[in-house]
Amino acid sequence: MKKGSEAVKGFQGALNDKASPAYPGNESLSSVRFDMKKFFFSISHLVLICLLISSVLSAGEANRSATLVVDRDETCSSQAFTDHMISTDTVTFVLPETDGPVSGNGQYRLKGSGYSLSGPSRYRGRVVDEETLVLSYGQWWYKGKAMTPAAPEMPTEARTVSIPLEPGGEKVIRFTNAHADLKSPCSGTVIYRLKMERETQVWNIVLTGSYHVEHLTALWGPEFAFGKDYFQYASGAVFHYNLAVQVVLTKKKGRLVYTSGRVQKAQVKFEYRQTPELYSVQSLVCRGCDAVNRLKGRSLSGSLSKGTLSLSWPDIRPLVEGRSRLAGQCDPGQTICAKRKKEELAFSGQDDGFLMRAAGHVLALRPGVQSFKIDSSDNPGAAILRIYHDYRLERVK
């Protein structure tokens, strides 16, 4: 072990007896006098301590954690001995919400040439600009004694180590001929890796609604086998939408940003309406409905700003086309009506922007339903337009 001890000095510096940590012990319960007054005093303090512990745990649950893994591989050589050392140091940090100091405790294991060491470790540093972990202190203990930190193996105030604060963030340090003044120069590599998860929120968002446009026309009843006077005829296509998307938001630089969206459901159904029902529909097809249905499984972009969310739905505008015949019976002598009765009438109706308008809505990022509508029924003119959007937001993570 003499050779191993010399190697440890080369790896980590000389042992420092004064730096050994203090480990406070618990007072003996037998020293507590169990009279009623002190009993209630102790109980009240126990309740207070439990409340404090609960508050600390609650605060800790809201914080992010990260695991730092430090792998070292180095060789130190002297006239008497060459030592090849491989070690792994695993440290757990609790990260602040924004910038600020961090510290973490861990455990190291080292295997040298003919010996092995293990013990507790501690690291300190700061989070800078919410995107970098800057380490300025690293310490190992062995059998209760602290080994003096030495760069480049350990981060120090003079030689800090900066690691990208992100999942898989990595910093590699390579060095040669370090500690030549100790007559045992060392060469090797230190790799710092972060294991962590970004703070994320996952939302399920359902969009339902319809697009309905009715064209209004005044018709002469006898020509359409419908009474003896003028009447108003309304006709048009109706599209019913049912879509769902799962959105992932990630916290970067202290704020949530839109990371990804995936369409979980995409359906559109269609029909052709007329009031009154003058025509019997012979055929009905939708061009573009398949394009809506094929959105399922596709990614969906979006944006998040100041607590409001927008989804970038593609501008798909289905078109309903069909053919029909006059349904009623013509009065005798109504030649125009009889002619119409023999003809097959082509008709169409288009969704002129349900998804486009849905993309324009700004959603408050909170659970619940948010509804939007356009309804020109009160002032129809030549057509009536009804567009309904219902967004339902649910946070699932």
Side-chain angles (χ1 to χ4, degrees), residues 154-318:
M154 282 287 186
T156 64
E157 290 286 352
R159 295 183 65 173
T160 59
V161 175
S162 297
I163 310 167
L165 191 59
E166 60 185 17
E170 183 177 285
K171 177 69 175 181
V172 179
I173 297 176
R174 295 181 175 86
F175 56 93
T176 57
N177 205 35
H179 316 303
D181 56 328
L182 299 177
K183 298 182 181 180
S184 56
C186 302
S187 300
T189 303
V190 183
I191 302 176
Y192 296 82
R193 293 188 182 90
L194 276 176
K195 295 181 179 180
M196 59 179 294
E197 293 184 1
R198 290 194 184 275
E199 183 180 341
T200 60
Q201 293 185 11
V202 180
W203 291 77
N204 285 342
I205 302 174
V206 176
L207 170 61
T208 56
S210 60
Y211 184 99
H212 182 195
V213 59
E214 290 182 330
H215 297 283
L216 306 178
T217 309
L219 301 179
W220 177 241
E223 293 182 1
F224 293 87
F226 193 82
K228 306 297 183 182
D229 206 345
Y230 282 98
F231 66 97
Q232 181 172 268
Y233 177 65
S235 63
V238 185
F239 301 87
H240 303 278
Y241 287 84
N242 190 350
L243 304 106
V245 59
Q246 187 168 89
V247 169
V248 178
L249 309 175
T250 305
K251 196 169 188 180
K252 296 181 180 179
K253 294 186 178 182
R255 63 186 183 90
L256 287 171
V257 297
Y258 189 100
T259 304
S260 64
R262 182 72 57 182
V263 179
Q264 306 290 318
K265 183 179 184 179
Q267 293 180 348
V268 59
K269 297 181 179 180
F270 60 93
E271 59 178 315
Y272 194 82
R273 290 182 183 175
Q274 51 178 332
T275 307
E277 293 188 4
L278 292 184
Y279 293 90
S280 174
V281 176
Q282 306 298 304
S283 64
L284 192 64
V285 296
C286 178
R287 306 188 188 280
C289 286
D290 285 348
V292 175
N293 297 335
R294 286 196 299 268
L295 291 176
K296 181 179 179 179
R298 296 189 180 182
S299 61
L300 185 69
S301 60
S303 62
L304 183 69
S305 177
K306 297 180 180 179
T308 59
L309 175 69
S310 297
L311 299 175
S312 301
W313 296 105
D315 188 10
I316 302 174
R317 305 189 180 195

Side-chain angles (χ1 to χ4, degrees), residues 53-67:
I53 292 174
S54 177
S55 64
V56 169
L57 290 175
S58 297
E61 289 174 355
N63 291 330
R64 297 176 296 160
S65 63
T67 299

Side-chain angles (χ1 to χ4, degrees), residues 56-103:
V56 169
L57 290 175
S58 297
E61 289 174 355
N63 291 330
R64 297 176 296 160
S65 63
T67 299
L68 174 67
V69 178
V70 187
D71 290 318
R72 297 179 175 88
D73 186 342
E74 69 171 304
T75 301
C76 298
S77 301
S78 66
Q79 291 182 351
F81 182 64
T82 297
D83 191 6
H84 181 208
M85 293 168 284
I86 298 176
S87 69
T88 297
D89 198 355
T90 305
V91 187
T92 301
F93 290 96
V94 175
L95 302 175
E97 286 296 315
T98 55
D99 290 355
V102 294
S103 63

